[in-house]
């Protein structure tokens, strides 16, 4: 056996709410995708050290148009039983307090790559569902339960359990309230594991912000009563302000063939100690079972670690390569995501112009319905991203370009558009917490293709452009403070888009390439 040194996070950038699972010789981690499609990103590994994006599960099963910011697909959980993968997830349709419309579904497949079944509706009493397969063959659904009657902003009041009948494809029997939570409150993300003589319930508490924690309790019977770990919380950074990893919680565990146990959990890396511009990421640490049957980290503490070790069967070196390039040669790379609607031939194709991706215009940049954007996760504090565009706008309502995008209220957009006095021009717009500003710079462009580039160095970003065969990049507008793109809940994306507010599908742009170069580890 070998001790392999790694650095957390193992999944940098927007990869929240991890659930870890081992099937045969492969480990999987599924993460939340919120309003980005395809939904539920899955990574796989053979050694827990190096992870590769394997697939995204939710493709044609869902409709997210109109879903609110920070809603949609929350906290997916993978399980495996009798030759089938099971996935349960929440589709959040509204987050306006005091209510929360959170619908839970189940799908299954013989392989992690599908084909996945049609969704089975489960319930709507609360989010973060988890499916437990007991040793007697029965299956049980857990979820957080929401109570609109309580006065606090977060209205999570514990965990409920109900049996799932595979034949009937529905929940059956009594609903059991198995955990009320602790004074940390905001109890969610419940997972049950059977170990030795106990059922162990692992939950997230304290909210997904600075108070985030992992709490463990156990019971002799599945339905309880559950005994609370006397040293809870098992994991938290709430009392460790100097830790580079914050907001740690939402844990799940896995055992290796060598007998070691590990917990995957979410964390953030606040930029300048202020803002988690990369969103919530995924980390991992080794845990063990004490003689009296509780989970503890092997380092002896209860906090997240940037540097830690994984026990491997063979020598392994951790690799982190966040670079990405797509030359649009005939198939859209699986790294891409789109907002609320899938990227399909109805609005982006490779056949209209060989060697280019043609994107047909959608709604405005703030649309919750038909926003035609293709973007990838920002995974580095320092990076450059560039693209080349062929676009002929006819009015100021037509635009195409390169953007940094957190959500419909927070974005930066360098774009080609039309000006009545100057013809085709380059402009820069910004929206920060819903407050829109338009840069006064209006740059006339030559005919032909235009290249755009964004350079990001921590909290500052600057856009650049060049035209024709020129090699010199020119600055577009002033350097921008990017801390407003740190939402903490989701992470920032960088991508390309086309918009037209004059008419639907009123214009199109052809993109020659897109390239992202991560500079953090260079």
């Amino acid at each position: 056996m070998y001790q392999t040194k790694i650095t957390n996070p193992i999944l940098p950038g927007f990869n929240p709410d991890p659930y870890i699972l081992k099937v045969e010789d492969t480990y999987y981690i599924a993460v939340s995708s919120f309003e980005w499609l395809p939904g539920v990103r899955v990574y796989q590994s053979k050694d827990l050290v190096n992870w590769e994006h394997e697939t995204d599960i939710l493709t044609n099963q869902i409709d997210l148009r109109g879903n609110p910011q920070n809603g949609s697909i929350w906290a997916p959980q993978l399980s495996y039983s009798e030759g089938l993968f099971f996935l349960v997830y929440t589709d959040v349709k509204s987050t306006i307090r005091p209510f929360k419309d959170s619908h839970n579904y189940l799908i299954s497949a013989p392989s992690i790559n599908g084909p996945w079944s049609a969704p089975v509706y489960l319930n709507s009493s609360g989010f973060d569902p988890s499916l437990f397969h007991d040793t007697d063959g029965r299956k049980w659904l857990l979820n957080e339960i929401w109570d609109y009657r309580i006065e606090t902003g977060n209205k999570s009041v514990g965990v409920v359990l109900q049996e799932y009948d595979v034949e009937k494809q529905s929940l059956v029997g009594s609903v059991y309230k198995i955990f009320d939570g602790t004074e940390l409150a905001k109890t969610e993300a419940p997972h049950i594991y059977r170990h030795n003589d106990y059922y162990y319930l692992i939950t997230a508490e304290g909210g997904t912000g600075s108070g985030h924690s992992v709490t463990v309790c156990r019971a002799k019977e599945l339905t309880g009563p559950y005994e609370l770990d006397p040293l809870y919380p098992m994991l938290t950074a709430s009392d460790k302000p100097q830790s580079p990893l914050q907001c740690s919680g939402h844990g799940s565990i896995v055992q290796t063939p060598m007998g070691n146990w590990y917990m995957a959990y979410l964390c953030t890396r606040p930029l300048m100690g202020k803002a988690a511009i990369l969103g919530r990421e995924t980390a991992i640490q080794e845990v063990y079972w004490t003689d009296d049957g509780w989970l503890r980290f092997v380092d002896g503490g209860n906090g997240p670690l940037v540097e830690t070790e994984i026990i491997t069967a063979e020598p392994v070196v951790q690799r982190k390569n966040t670079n990405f390039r797509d030359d649009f040669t005939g198939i859209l790379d699986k790294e891409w995501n789109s907002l609320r609607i899938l990227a399909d031939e109805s609005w982006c194709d490779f056949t209209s112009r060989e060697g280019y991706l043609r994107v047909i215009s959608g709604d405005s940049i703030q649309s919750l319905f038909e926003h035609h954007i293709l973007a990838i996760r920002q995974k580095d504090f320092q990076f450059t991203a560039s693209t080349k565009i062929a676009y002929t706008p006819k009015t100021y309502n037509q635009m195409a370009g390169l953007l940094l995008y957190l959500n419909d209220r927070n974005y930066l957009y360098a774009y080609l558009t039309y000006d009545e006095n100057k013809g085709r021009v380059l402009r820069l717009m910004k929206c920060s917490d819903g407050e829109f500003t338009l840069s006064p710079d209006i740059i006339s462009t030559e005919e032909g293709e235009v290249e755009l580039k964004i350079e990001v160095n921590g909290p500052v970003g600057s856009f650049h452009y060049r035209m024709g065969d020129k090699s010199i990049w020119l600055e577009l507008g002033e350097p921008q403070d990017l801390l407003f793109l740190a939402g903490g809940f989701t992470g920032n994306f960088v991508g390309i888009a086309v918009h037209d507010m004059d008419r639907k599908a009123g214009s199109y742009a052809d993109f020659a390439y897109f390239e992202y170069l991560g500079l953090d580890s260079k």
Side-chain angles (χ1 to χ4, degrees), residues 110-227:
S111 163
I112 195 66
N113 294 294
W116 290 89
S117 66
V120 173
Y121 170 72
L122 299 171
N123 65 14
S124 303
S125 61
F127 48 87
D128 293 3
S130 182
L131 189 66
F132 173 66
H133 306 265
D134 208 347
T135 54
D136 61 2
R138 299 170 75 183
K139 303 182 188 305
W140 298 83
L141 184 81
L142 302 94
N143 60 268
E144 170 272 357
I145 188 167
W146 187 264
D147 189 342
Y148 74 91
R149 299 170 299 177
I150 67 174
E151 295 181 355
T152 58
N154 184 297
K155 302 177 187 300
S156 296
V157 293
V159 175
V160 292
L161 174 78
Q162 189 176 10
E163 187 175 0
Y164 175 72
D165 188 307
V166 176
E167 296 299 322
K168 295 180 179 179
Q169 292 193 324
S170 66
L171 297 173
V172 297
S174 300
V175 176
Y176 300 91
K177 180 79 173 295
I178 62 172
F179 187 47
D180 292 326
T182 72
E183 75 277 1
L184 296 177
K186 304 176 182 179
T187 307
E188 55 193 41
H191 303 303
I192 284 182
Y193 299 87
R194 177 76 177 180
H195 181 68
N196 293 336
D197 297 328
Y198 288 95
Y199 294 93
Y200 286 85
L201 174 64
I202 298 178
T203 66
E205 291 200 294
T208 199
S210 60
H212 209 28
S213 306
V214 170
T215 297
V216 180
C217 51
R218 68 185 184 188
K220 289 284 189 177
E221 301 294 332
L222 179 64
T223 55
Y226 279 82
E227 169 194 7

Side-chain angles (χ1 to χ4, degrees), residues 236-271:
T236 190
S238 60
D239 57 349
K240 304 170 184 66
Q242 302 307 313
S243 173
L245 303 182
Q246 290 293 315
C247 306
S248 55
H250 203 113
S252 55
I253 58 175
V254 70
Q255 185 180 24
T256 71
M258 292 169 286
N260 303 90
W261 288 81
Y262 293 87
M263 175 174 283
Y265 59 89
L266 72 78
C267 63
T268 62
R269 291 180 289 166
L271 187 60

Side-chain angles (χ1 to χ4, degrees), residues 266-323:
L266 72 78
C267 63
T268 62
R269 291 180 289 166
L271 187 60
M272 302 173 61
K274 299 178 180 179
I277 198 166
L278 302 183
R280 295 174 297 162
E281 306 174 288
T282 291
I284 194 170
Q285 277 173 241
E286 188 177 0
V287 296
Y288 71 99
W289 297 96
T290 64
D291 291 341
D292 56 352
W294 293 108
L295 272 176
R296 299 285 181 260
F297 286 112
V298 296
D299 72 298
N302 74 336
L305 295 179
V306 173
E307 296 182 348
T308 187
E309 293 181 340
I310 302 288
I311 306 299
T312 57
E314 302 292 337
V316 180
V317 176
Q318 187 181 29
R319 304 180 306 274
K320 290 186 180 181
N321 181 10
T322 58
N323 292 348

Side-chain angles (χ1 to χ4, degrees), residues 457-490:
N457 185 5
V460 178
S462 56
F463 281 98
H464 305 264
Y465 68 95
R466 65 184 181 187
M467 294 175 277
D469 58 358
K470 295 181 176 64
S471 60
I472 298 176
W473 289 94
L474 302 175
E475 195 165 56
L476 174 59
E478 298 292 327
Q480 300 287 324
D481 185 332
L482 303 180
L483 292 183
F484 76 97
L485 293 173
F489 203 56
T490 57

